[in-house]
Amino acid sequence: MTDTMKAVVLEKFGGYDAFELRDVSVPTLGPRQVRVRVHATAINPLDYQIRRGDYVDYVPLPAIIGHDVSGVVEEKGVDVSEFGIGDEVYYTPKIFGGPGSYAEQHIADVDLVGRKPRNITHLEAASLTLVGGTVWEALVTRAQLAVHETILIHGGAGGVGTVAIQLAKAIGARVITTARTSNHEFVRSLGADDVIDYTSDDYVSAVADLTHGQGVNVVFDTIGGDTLTRSPLALADAGRVVSIVDIAQPQNLIEAWGKNAAYHFVFTRQNRGKLDAVTNLVERGLIKPVIGAVLPLARVGEAHELLENGGSRGLRGKVAIDVVGQTVALPSPQ
């Protein structure tokens, strides 16, 4: 191996020009770590929140950020027996715990690392690690979504929503989701039973109509703000709201009292167990990653812009970064 690698470094907090492609040193390998040749990574809302300075106290600059890895083990520590050289793996690096995935190589604690699903590409696998673990935590661990229950998933065409729809259907739930009219056929193809056009319809009234006034058992919030405060109005009694959105301002959740609702705010810890559960569903054909755009490592800033403005750009699913192949594939206008 060489002692240096290409990496995209966050030089300052700010706009899409805050990154610089550099040669940096490869970190030292610990006894319970693996060194992975990164084939692909992906962009998450957490990435652009870090870039613009939302977590300034947690990310000392300069920094390599990024929260998805799919690649191949090239070296392992002396105490690693779970994987061998050449194994294909995927995982989320420890959040706020060191260098991230915008690089040609990555050093990871082996307990975070899972075996990559055999039936998908590195680009597809990289699009699943943070999202897959988060959605599993939200729907299975926290909401405990059950067969024949009904779930409302906000933002069904997004990177999180596309996976959430498929996982909810795999569980056996009825899925109602929100999406632009141009994405209705698309989210139905993922398994959504009913779709609400959030640009023209009030989702609270629409849910009441679709459930004959009963409401949904679970709301999965990927948007926050007004969506979070009004979601209890769509709940059945003793329903559950699970949100993955950081709350910048205090929220008045008074509507939740009358429904005896439970709220869960998920900032998930990643581990191999969640990845193995997702891998099982992927290899059984129950979850298929959705990639809306692919860019090379040197164009990470452009990838951030695309994700932040994805709705108006016709983006569906994730923005992936092809570290090895340098693929460019942009969404077609809807």
Side-chain angles (χ1 to χ4, degrees), residues 75 79 99 176 299 312:
E75 185 180 6
D79 294 335
I176 303 171
R299 293 170 66 175
S312 62

Side-chain angles (χ1 to χ4, degrees), residues 9-28:
V9 179
L10 182 65
E11 295 283 342
K12 60 188 178 183
F13 296 113
Y16 308 124
D17 62 347
F19 297 107
E20 180 180 305
L21 186 65
R22 279 196 202 166
D23 290 310
V24 302
S25 297
V26 178
T28 304

Side-chain angles (χ1 to χ4, degrees), residues 211-272:
T211 62
H212 305 291
Q214 295 300 305
V216 298
N217 305 104
V218 175
V219 173
F220 184 38
D221 169 37
T222 67
I223 298 170
D226 180 65
T227 301
L228 182 61
T229 55
R230 295 189 71 235
S231 283
L233 296 171
L235 279 179
D237 190 56
R240 294 90 77 195
V241 176
V242 185
S243 178
I244 60 170
V245 181
D246 190 10
I247 300 176
Q249 301 294 330
Q251 302 283 311
N252 185 342
L253 304 179
I254 191 67
E255 301 293 350
W257 284 70
K259 298 293 180 70
N260 193 24
Y263 267 71
H264 300 271
F265 296 93
V266 174
F267 194 91
T268 185
R269 291 186 177 94
Q270 302 302 310
N271 58 51
R272 187 183 306 137

Side-chain angles (χ1 to χ4, degrees), residues 248-311:
Q249 301 294 330
Q251 302 283 311
N252 185 342
L253 304 179
I254 191 67
E255 301 293 350
W257 284 70
K259 298 293 180 70
N260 193 24
Y263 267 71
H264 300 271
F265 296 93
V266 174
F267 194 91
T268 185
R269 291 186 177 94
Q270 302 302 310
N271 58 51
R272 187 183 306 137
K274 292 174 191 169
L275 283 176
D276 287 348
V278 172
T279 296
N280 179 47
L281 293 171
V282 171
E283 291 187 340
R284 290 167 57 197
L286 297 174
I287 290 179
K288 174 70 173 175
V290 177
I291 297 176
V294 184
L295 286 165
L297 189 62
R299 293 170 66 175
V300 158
E302 184 179 341
H304 274 232
E305 189 276 332
L306 180 57
L307 182 60
E308 283 192 79
N309 299 291

Side-chain angles (χ1 to χ4, degrees), residues 72-194:
V72 175
V73 175
E74 289 197 336
E75 185 180 6
K76 62 179 187 172
V78 293
D79 294 335
V80 173
S81 59
E82 295 91 332
F83 300 100
I85 306 304
D87 284 354
E88 293 189 328
V89 296
Y90 76 145
Y91 60 94
T92 291
K94 187 176 180 181
I95 297 171
F96 303 140
S101 59
Y102 294 178
E104 292 179 326
Q105 299 182 56
H106 188 264
I107 304 291
D109 295 341
V110 73
D111 292 337
L112 297 177
V113 176
R115 178 182 59 80
K116 173 187 156 294
R118 297 183 182 93
N119 58 332
I120 60 174
T121 66
H122 282 293
L123 284 169
E124 290 173 317
S127 78
L128 266 183
T129 63
L130 182 59
V131 163
T134 299
V135 171
W136 183 272
E137 172 84 11
L139 301 194
V140 178
T141 307
R142 303 293 187 89
Q144 297 182 15
L145 182 66
V147 176
H148 302 313
E149 286 194 313
T150 301
I151 183 171
L152 170 63
I153 297 171
H154 288 290
V160 176
T162 54
V163 176
I165 290 170
Q166 295 177 79
L167 177 57
K169 291 307 294 183
I171 290 169
R174 176 189 179 188
V175 175
I176 303 171
T177 192
T178 62
R180 296 170 182 265
T181 300
S182 58
N183 285 326
H184 283 203
E185 183 178 346
F186 167 65
V187 294
R188 287 184 187 278
S189 75
L190 299 176
D193 297 289
D194 300 285

Side-chain angles (χ1 to χ4, degrees), residues 6-48:
K6 295 288 186 185
V8 171
V9 179
L10 182 65
E11 295 283 342
K12 60 188 178 183
F13 296 113
Y16 308 124
D17 62 347
F19 297 107
E20 180 180 305
L21 186 65
R22 279 196 202 166
D23 290 310
V24 302
S25 297
V26 178
T28 304
L29 188 70
R32 285 286 293 162
Q33 293 182 318
V34 290
R35 180 175 61 81
V36 174
R37 173 69 59 178
V38 179
H39 282 236
T41 182
I43 313 297
N44 296 280
L46 177 59
D47 298 5
Y48 64 67

